[in-house]
Amino acid sequence: MKFKDRILLIQSIAAILIAVFCVLITFVAIDSVITNDKFHETRNIATAIAMNPEIEFATKESNRKLLDNILRKQQYHLELGFVVIAGKDGQRLFHTDPNKEGGFIQDHNFTDVANGKVITTIRRGLSGVTINTRMPIYYHNTIVGVVSVGFLQNHVQNLIHLYLFQASSIIILMLLVMIYCSKRFSNYIQQQLSGMSPTQISQAYQLRKGILNSVAEGVIAVDINGIIMVINKRAVEILGIEQPKESLFGQPISTYCYPSEFFTPELGDVVNETTINLNGETLIASRTMMKDNDDIIGYVVSFRCRNAAAMLELMANQIAKERDNLRATTHEYANNVAVVSGMLEMGLFDKAIQFIHKESHALQEDISGITAHFHPLIAALIISKKHRAHELGFSIAIIEGSSLILDSSPLAPNEIAAILGNLLDNAYEAIAKTDRKGEVEFFATDSGSEIIIEISDNGIGIANENKQLIFRDGYTSKADVNLPHGVGLALISNLVTKANGQIIVEDNEPYGTIFSLFVPKKGMSA
């Protein structure tokens, strides 16, 4: 049986039991109320008859005809089961049923009533309840007879059945309403549980717990207000949190993580791998949003320490781009080889030699100029980027006086290469989003007390309000085409910050952006 059907069955059985209980309680209450009500009613009517002066006189005179005229005219019996008037000797002077007049009452309590007592009896049998009140009749303070007033079983029972039917109808209606509400509730519960049974939920919870504690990355899930919903053991270890993992649930993330801006909605919906500073640690982090239908209910953040392996992973993106550049270069030289091959087949040997010398001279001159002024790793990067620019139809100009030997550099050559590669790639991307002829200018020097790198482009530019955001938060926004995105700018920011340097972002005239980096060399202050 499905979980939803089990819930409905349990609730329906509970509703039926409640309804049966209510019927029983109602029956007892109705019986009690009617019995008590008729008890007082018989005593009141008996009192009214016994205190009637005409009845007092007729009883004293044993005048059956007068009693008959009085009582049947006033029609007491229409509201009662029976009314009996007897003389002090027990002879019936009046009875609701005329056929029973004239006989004698022989009940055991008649003598007590004839001596001045008032007695009300309630008898319960298989067929119902009988209520009877007997009261003495006085004439000038002398007992002259006895009046008996009562309700028969069928009268009381009919009242009980009537009231019970009305109450049962209401209870049955309530039962139907409860069953309907139970069905709606069971559907709601099943929907909230995503169609899973408690067993499946327990298994899913244990599976999630096992996965979270087995992954090498730290994982934290927070709601829209920054309250911790999920945190795994690795996250506690990376962030150096001393409290037990179980005590962190339901606590604000800002209490245990500083700064906590990466967990707030201001960053946007999705942030791909970027570097952040958290609790004094430099981490590589990503985050994605959690949704309930179309409503954002929180964010999941995963992170790991920025160790050598992590840095290699980040730089792999740059290496992949260099691989693509080398493919383009290979393609270009394959074209040149095809030209030379064609000339040789046509017997144009002199022209082939001239073409080879021209291409070789231009290449050697370009390579010689770059390798003479730049560290080999940086020189290789620049040559690759120049070929990429040529393939895209852009021009890249190296400003005269540029050189990066990287003596006394606080950053490793591969880190400088990562910075240059990402800045040039962002420049190419910014230009590709326009219809202008791409122009990039590159200047770099470490001849003074600091390393200076400046790259300008004539691309789409960056809005003033985003110039700091792109570095500070490692911002990624696919929706905003005016922002560079990816891990590159965050990597640059962290590398420069680590070296006590600074980054300046300015508008280029008339279009584009200028990125300027200043990093003090070893032994120098910023």
Side-chain angles (χ1 to χ4, degrees), residues 355-375:
F355 180 80
I356 293 172
H357 282 309
K358 178 182 177 182
E359 291 295 325
S360 176
H361 178 73
L363 179 60
Q364 289 297 327
E365 190 175 64
D366 195 18
I367 293 175
S368 298
I370 294 174
T371 55
H373 298 91
F374 293 92
H375 185 280

Side-chain angles (χ1 to χ4, degrees), residues 220-375:
I220 299 177
V222 298
D223 64 14
I224 199 69
N225 297 314
I227 302 300
I228 298 174
M229 301 170 64
V230 174
I231 184 170
N232 69 346
K233 182 179 179 181
R234 182 57 177 159
V236 174
E237 294 174 352
I238 292 175
L239 298 177
I241 300 175
E242 297 180 354
Q243 284 79 357
K245 176 171 66 70
E246 291 74 15
S247 67
L248 304 181
F249 299 112
Q251 300 296 318
I253 188 66
S254 57
T255 304
Y256 302 97
C257 296
Y258 180 82
S260 59
E261 286 79 4
F262 197 74
F263 298 88
T264 60
E266 286 75 12
L267 285 183
D269 297 337
V270 178
V271 179
N272 293 324
E273 283 202 333
T274 186
T275 53
I276 62 172
N277 291 315
L278 205 61
N279 289 8
E281 296 288 339
T282 301
L283 308 173
I284 299 174
S286 299
R287 87 170 195 170
T288 186
M289 60 183 173
M290 298 182 291
K291 278 191 172 185
D292 183 8
N293 295 326
D294 293 330
D295 298 327
I296 299 176
I297 60 173
Y299 300 94
V300 177
V301 176
S302 61
F303 51 87
R304 61 189 183 278
C305 294
R306 195 191 71 167
N307 49 27
M311 287 302 297
L312 287 174
E313 183 176 347
L314 276 177
M315 293 180 181
N317 294 326
Q318 182 63 35
I319 295 172
K321 292 179 181 178
E322 300 308 322
R323 179 193 61 199
D324 293 336
N325 292 342
L326 290 175
R327 286 177 180 174
T329 303
T330 302
H331 180 70
E332 180 181 352
Y333 279 101
N335 290 335
N336 291 338
V337 170
V339 172
V340 173
S341 176
M343 290 181 177
L344 292 176
E345 290 182 3
M346 296 170 61
L348 303 175
F349 303 113
D350 293 338
K351 289 187 177 294
I353 293 173
Q354 292 176 3
F355 180 80
I356 293 172
H357 282 309
K358 178 182 177 182
E359 291 295 325
S360 176
H361 178 73
L363 179 60
Q364 289 297 327
E365 190 175 64
D366 195 18
I367 293 175
S368 298
I370 294 174
T371 55
H373 298 91
F374 293 92
H375 185 280

